[in-house]
């Protein structure tokens, strides 16, 4: 039901005229009343495992539209759900039927949402490039809410999809010397500093941490085998 029953005559399906976060306005074709009232309550989602990975409106939609959704979705499932929900929101801007479907699940009017939200893939790419710095990635996507949900997925159900948890790769003394001499070889950079075969761009990582910290991390690995930048990124996935 997209609006409460008419206060004046009890008709169960008055016509919605306006919906805001704190109120709705509807008219009743049966008795002619025009009423402003609090918005109807929606199903709570606080204890739903999916609430970690998406906003409440999307949780409600998934539970209604997706047969037997898993509580810890993989990349393909989550990407598909985001894409299909965004398509529903887009249709809701021009179709009364889609708008009614959207209102049944959303606590936020569709006009208050971004018309072109960043795709799931774009948010993933921003988080990868930002080495899972949630605030930096949110600034790049322009969507803190979505970025926060996708970050939580990388920190939990999608942990194996984070490049820092990718295929392990050892490093040779020659690779360390190569980097200390100023070379920027991908084949050496990520195995030496992060213990993985590959990651985002070298330029992006160097820009984020700074040349001085990168050289200090190289020296630490050469002396003790420590990887301080790797440990920092892993902490980001634990604490945000």
């Amino acid at each position: 039901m997209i609006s409460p029953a008419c206060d004046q005559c009890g008709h169960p399906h008055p016509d919605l005229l306006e919906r805001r976060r704190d109120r709705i306005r509807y008219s009743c074709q049966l008795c002619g009343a025009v009423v402003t009232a609090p918005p109807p309550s929606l199903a709570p989602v606080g204890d739903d495992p999916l609430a970690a990975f998406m906003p409440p409106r999307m949780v409600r939609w998934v539970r209604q539209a997706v047969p037997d959704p898993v509580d810890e979705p993989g990349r393909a499932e989550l990407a598909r759900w985001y894409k299909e929900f965004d398509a529903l929101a887009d249709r809701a801007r021009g179709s009364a039927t889609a708008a009614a479907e959207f209102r049944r699940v959303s606590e936020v009017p569709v006009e208050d949402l971004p018309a072109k939200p960043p795709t799931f893939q774009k948010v993933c790419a921003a988080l990868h490039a930002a080495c899972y710095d949630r605030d930096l990635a949110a600034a790049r996507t322009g969507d803190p809410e979505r970025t926060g949900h996708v970050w939580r997925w990388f920190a939990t159900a999608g942990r194996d999809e984070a490049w820092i948890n990718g295929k392990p790769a050892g490093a040779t003394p020659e690779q360390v010397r190569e980097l200390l001499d100023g070379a920027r070889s991908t084949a050496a950079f990520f195995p030496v500093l992060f213990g993985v075969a590959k990651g985002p761009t070298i330029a992006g990582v160097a820009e984020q941490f700074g040349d001085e910290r990168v050289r200090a991390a190289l020296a630490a690995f050469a002396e003790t085998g420590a990887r301080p930048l790797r440990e920092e990124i892993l902490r980001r996935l634990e604490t945000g």
Side-chain angles (χ1 to χ4, degrees), residues 166-172 175 187-188 190-198 221 227:
K167 183 180 179 181
T172 65
Q175 287 176 317
F190 290 99
V192 171
L193 287 174
F194 302 105
V196 294
K198 60 183 180 179
F221 182 80
R227 290 186 171 101

Side-chain angles (χ1 to χ4, degrees), residues 4-230:
C6 175
D7 281 349
Q8 182 162 297
C9 71
H11 188 282
H13 299 296
D15 295 324
L16 189 66
L17 300 175
E18 179 185 34
R19 178 170 183 166
R20 298 186 180 181
R21 291 176 184 270
D22 58 346
R23 67 183 185 275
I24 62 170
R25 186 167 176 264
Y26 62 85
S27 67
C28 180
Q29 292 185 358
L30 187 63
C31 71
V34 176
V35 178
T36 300
S41 59
L42 297 169
V45 300
D47 293 333
D48 194 307
L50 293 180
F53 314 131
M54 60 192 73
R57 54 191 174 276
M58 191 171 166
V59 175
R60 298 185 192 97
W61 174 80
V62 168
R63 292 303 183 190
Q64 293 179 20
V66 178
D68 301 319
V70 295
D71 288 342
E72 294 189 350
R75 186 185 184 104
E77 290 96 345
L78 207 53
R80 184 173 67 254
W81 296 347
Y82 269 92
K83 181 178 180 180
E84 292 178 359
F85 184 79
D86 287 347
L88 170 62
D90 189 55
R91 293 196 305 274
R93 291 180 168 85
S95 161
T97 301
E101 181 182 353
F102 189 84
R103 286 193 295 266
R104 282 193 288 269
V105 297
S106 182
E107 72 283 3
V108 181
V110 70
E111 57 270 18
D112 287 356
L113 296 174
K116 294 291 183 182
T119 64
F120 177 79
Q121 289 86 348
K122 182 176 180 179
V123 176
C124 287
L127 283 162
H128 289 319
C131 299
Y132 311 104
D133 182 319
R134 182 167 49 181
D135 292 338
L136 177 58
R140 291 173 175 176
T141 66
D143 194 324
E145 179 188 53
R146 182 160 292 195
T147 303
H149 284 300
V150 178
W151 174 87
R152 279 191 286 276
W153 178 74
F154 275 121
T156 54
R159 195 170 183 84
D160 290 344
E161 297 286 345
W163 65 262
I164 195 66
N165 292 318
K167 183 180 179 181
T172 65
E174 291 76 14
Q175 287 176 317
V176 178
R177 285 194 294 272
E178 178 184 355
L179 295 177
L180 284 171
D181 288 342
R184 282 294 183 262
S185 164
T186 301
F189 189 83
F190 290 99
V192 171
L193 287 174
F194 302 105
V196 294
K198 60 183 180 179
T201 66
I202 292 176
V205 174
E207 179 183 3
Q208 182 179 163
F209 291 107
D211 289 340
E212 185 174 335
R213 290 191 65 193
V214 169
R215 289 191 64 82
L218 288 171
F221 182 80
E223 293 172 7
T224 67
R227 290 186 171 101
L229 299 185
R230 171 181 173 81

